[in-house]
Amino acid sequence: MKPSAPTSAVAVAEPGVGHAPAGPPPAVAFHPARRARPRPTAYLRLAKLGMVDYYLSLIVVVSLLPASGAGVLGASSWATLAAFLLGELCLVGAAVAYDDITGYRDGSDAANYGTDAAVRRLARKPLLAGTLTEADALRFARAALAAGALCWTAALALAPHRPWWAVLGVAAAALLVPQYSWGLRLGYHGLQEVFLAAVGWAFVLPLYGLLAGRATALAAVEAFLFGLGPLLFGVYSNTNDIAGDRAVGRPTAACLLSRRGNAVFIGALSALETAVIVASAVLGIVPWWFPSALLPVTAVRIAQFTVGMVRGDILRGRLIGIRAHRVLVVALVAANTLYAATT
């Protein structure tokens, strides 16, 4: 998920498990199939635990509760938060593991990482690096999926409130998040950009409902902004991966649009973020000073677009986008804390 072989030129598939990509670019360093037990760090890289951006949703939700008058968290709320976080970790880990397996089998990861492996760190792809086999990755993905479902079932059981829309949101997310590149393969049916944003929305608003028992306009606005974050660095990854994605029929916006059209699309998404921030203040959903508190986010977005799309340094633009999302989280938490203190 984009928030994301032996020494010879031909990869060897694990016996009886799918097919590995044939003829990867020579720039990728492939390794002999190993028989030793894989190190835990290889599984951590497969789960992309270093990419914490979706998991920051819990910080936003916790800061939202006093800002929206939901009161102090009790023991059941903290238990719900813990179970929900563990479920997030497991379900996202399953999704990105399945994505790596799919990318390894169809050759798109070899194509996308072959030209810039040093920049994008091949170790992030344990299948390509040879530190895990397909069978290892499949076992991990299945175990993570089962654990995630159990954790979110526990979160629903522990939650102080269970409004129907929040329960439905959690259930839908548990069902759909792992199917980005597996099962329904949502990322291969023109839904990739929507998916990246929707995961962020699902990690904020349903959890808020379980803890507060209701939805508020403030929570909806912040959930929407949070979901735009992973999308606004994911589209830069897609721009860099056009060749590999086209080769396997993944219809991202970057593949479907012209170079100029893709730049306009990314610019429009960046502008949408700022427009929502300003409009929410104009409509009285957030305090009048809210756009000022989030001004650093707008400044970083301008820098991201300038570097990534105007100057053409796509991967650096992606990196700036990751930082922009984290700046957004800090700004939202600060704004919520100030709002709670002044109301």
Side-chain angles (χ1 to χ4, degrees):
M1 197 164 72
K2 296 183 183 173
S4 294
T7 315
S8 67
V10 178
V12 175
E14 186 70 8
V17 185
H19 299 284
V28 181
F30 291 92
H31 303 278
R34 18 147 234 93
R35 297 299 177 191
R37 179 188 293 272
R39 294 182 178 181
T41 53
Y43 289 110
L44 295 179
R45 287 170 178 158
L46 182 67
K48 309 294 184 289
L49 287 187
M51 291 296 295
V52 302
D53 302 278
Y54 277 123
Y55 313 133
L56 298 176
S57 60
L58 271 77
I59 302 174
V60 174
V61 170
V62 170
S63 71
L64 258 172
L65 292 168
S68 57
V72 180
L73 292 177
S76 63
S77 295
W78 286 111
T80 302
L81 282 166
F84 195 89
L85 174 59
L86 289 174
E88 278 188 352
L89 290 167
C90 292
L91 290 170
V92 172
V96 295
Y98 280 132
D99 188 54
D100 275 12
I101 294 166
T102 300
Y104 181 70
R105 287 179 174 180
D106 65 22
S108 59
D109 277 352
N112 292 333
Y113 277 70
T115 56
D116 53 20
V119 176
R120 299 183 72 175
R121 299 179 190 174
L122 192 62
R124 294 174 180 169
K125 295 287 185 179
L127 290 170
L128 286 183
T131 54
L132 290 176
T133 65
E134 260 190 75
D136 294 331
L138 280 167
R139 280 192 294 269
F140 173 85
R142 291 164 182 162
L145 180 58
L150 287 174
C151 287
W152 273 10
T153 300
L156 291 175
L158 293 166
H161 306 281
R162 283 182 286 275
W164 68 267
W165 57 268
V167 174
L168 183 61
V170 171
L175 177 65
L176 296 177
V177 165
Q179 302 200 58
Y180 173 74
S181 295
W182 203 261
L184 296 177
R185 291 166 60 92
L186 298 173
Y188 285 76
H189 296 289
L191 298 173
Q192 206 231 50
E193 288 79 16
V194 174
F195 182 95
L196 292 175
V199 172
W201 302 334
F203 285 176
V204 174
L205 200 54
L207 176 59
Y208 177 84
L210 295 180
L211 300 176
R214 58 195 174 95
T216 64
L218 176 63
V221 166
E222 295 198 10
F224 184 80
L225 292 174
F226 184 86
L228 284 181
L231 173 59
L232 277 167
F233 58 79
V235 289
Y236 284 79
S237 291
N238 292 347
T239 301
N240 185 75
D241 296 346
I242 288 174
D245 287 344
R246 278 180 176 162
V248 299
R250 194 195 298 251
T252 65
C255 291
L256 298 174
L257 299 172
S258 66
R259 180 176 178 180
R260 180 178 178 81
N262 184 53
V264 170
F265 173 67
I266 293 175
L269 288 176
S270 303
L272 175 62
E273 180 181 60
T274 302
V276 170
I277 292 170
V278 173
S280 62
V282 172
L283 295 173
I285 297 171
V286 299
W288 63 268
W289 45 261
F290 190 76
S292 298
L294 270 66
L295 193 58
V297 181
T298 302
V300 180
R301 287 289 178 221
I302 293 171
Q304 179 188 14
F305 188 82
T306 301
V307 170
M309 303 311 297
V310 177
R311 298 179 186 169
D313 193 342
I314 302 300
L315 289 179
R316 189 166 168 231
R318 175 184 180 274
L319 178 60
I320 295 172
I322 293 171
R323 292 170 179 167
H325 180 64
R326 296 173 186 179
V327 170
L328 171 70
V329 170
V330 171
L332 288 177
V333 171
N336 289 338
T337 302
L338 179 60
Y339 189 32
T342 56
T343 55

